[in-house]
Amino acid sequence: MKIIEVADYKEMSRVSAQIILEKIKSQEHVTLGLATGGTPLGTYKELVKDHEENGTRYDLVHTYNLDEYVGLASSDPESYHAYMCEHLFHPVHIPLDQTNIPNGAAEELPQECMRYDTLIENIGGVDLQLLGIGQNGHIGFNEPGTPFSSKTHIVDLTPSTLEANAEYFADRCKQPTRALTMGISTILQSKEILLLASGEKKQEALFHLLRGEVIEAVPASALKMHDRVTIIADSQALKLVNSLGK
């Protein structure tokens, strides 16, 4: 597990974007696993900036997103599909038929989970999976207690996760309480994993990941079972690790 310590969120975003760009440029057909929320937003801004300034092409890039809220159609402005189109897909001109996001509005959600997991299994796992880490140690929407053997599944979001994501919903009453998410075993199929962490609120989760045991109570600890994980974290996120973990 490689740890890259950076000064702040801006540097974290710049370094992570550079790693993604190196993967795109070094591999003709590349599959990226993508995340949403506040953590990767700066990374996507850096990728868009590079596309505008350097013309990096995404014609042969295929993407697979971690998760989507149950009950939100792809056309819903608060869906993760809309988030990705706004912040990455449209600005860098990734062909939309090369993007994949779980269908939160599917009539048969268990079948949708199986369909999505099969897509990822058929490509042998994505080449590079981007992750954030929740304050409770979740990755994707895999909450504490999720079995490490889990595949893409339906999850009931915990109060802490709902609170952390509330700012993205204009009407809190309409905030979904369930989601479809890649399972932990699905994530671990990835050939490489890039985890981002920024801010003091992430210091306990990062400490448990880096210094704690591999336990299902800390979903991110499963990453210790993968041999190609890079963590980019700023000094605030690493504060507890640096003060108590040496």
Side-chain angles (χ1 to χ4, degrees):
M1 187 173 284
K2 180 180 180 181
I3 303 171
I4 301 174
E5 182 171 356
V6 295
D8 51 27
Y9 179 83
K10 187 174 182 180
E11 186 180 3
M12 180 198 74
S13 301
R14 188 166 56 248
V15 172
S16 61
Q18 189 57 45
I19 290 173
I20 294 170
L21 287 168
E22 288 172 1
K23 175 63 67 174
I24 292 171
K25 294 173 181 178
S26 66
Q27 191 168 322
E28 185 176 5
H29 295 273
V30 64
T31 55
L32 300 176
L34 300 178
T36 50
T39 298
L41 192 56
T43 300
Y44 297 150
K45 288 181 178 177
E46 291 290 333
L47 294 177
V48 171
K49 179 182 177 182
D50 166 78
H51 176 73
E52 293 172 346
E53 295 179 353
N54 302 314
T56 300
R57 299 182 65 88
Y58 290 76
D59 306 67
L60 301 178
V61 174
H62 287 71
T63 67
Y64 296 81
N65 263 72
L66 280 168
D67 37 43
E68 179 59 281
Y69 287 111
V70 168
L72 296 190
S74 60
S75 58
D76 191 301
E78 293 176 320
S79 69
Y80 281 154
H81 187 98
Y83 169 106
M84 293 305 305
C85 285
E86 177 184 354
H87 296 297
L88 187 66
F89 296 162
H90 288 165
V92 301
H93 303 103
I94 295 179
L96 289 184
D97 62 357
Q98 294 172 194
T99 66
N100 299 274
I101 302 176
N103 180 7
E107 291 186 7
E108 300 292 341
L109 293 176
Q111 285 80 349
E112 171 61 14
C113 291
M114 293 175 62
R115 180 196 71 82
Y116 198 71
D117 218 59
T118 298
L119 282 178
I120 297 168
E121 289 179 356
N122 286 344
I123 62 168
V126 300
D127 294 314
L128 179 63
Q129 176 66 60
L130 183 66
L131 294 176
I133 184 170
Q135 294 179 42
N136 61 4
H138 74 240
I139 50 175
F141 272 136
N142 294 288
E143 301 286 8
T146 302
F148 288 163
S149 60
S150 62
K151 295 183 179 295
T152 300
H153 62 284
I154 308 161
V155 60
D156 293 318
L157 303 176
T158 63
S160 64
T161 297
L162 290 170
E163 184 64 33
N165 291 341
E167 63 181 286
Y168 302 110
F169 291 89
D171 185 349
R172 180 73 181 270
C173 294
K174 295 182 179 179
Q175 182 181 4
T177 58
R178 296 193 300 161
L180 304 183
T181 186
M182 281 189 199
I184 293 175
S185 72
T186 312
I187 291 171
L188 292 179
Q189 289 182 56
S190 309
K191 298 177 180 68
E192 296 182 52
I193 294 174
L194 181 62
L195 183 138
L196 310 181
S198 175
E200 194 169 343
K201 290 182 178 180
K202 301 298 177 72
Q203 63 175 322
E204 290 189 13
L206 205 56
F207 179 82
H208 288 302
L209 164 58
L210 294 174
R211 300 290 184 252
E213 299 178 14
V214 178
I215 53 174
E216 292 179 349
V218 183
S221 68
L223 299 178
K224 288 184 175 180
M225 299 187 291
H226 197 287
D227 60 4
R228 298 192 69 184
V229 175
T230 298
I231 297 172
I232 307 175
D234 64 19
S235 57
Q236 289 298 305
L238 284 168
K239 182 186 293 186
L240 194 57
V241 171
N242 290 338
S243 64
L244 300 177
K246 294 181 180 180

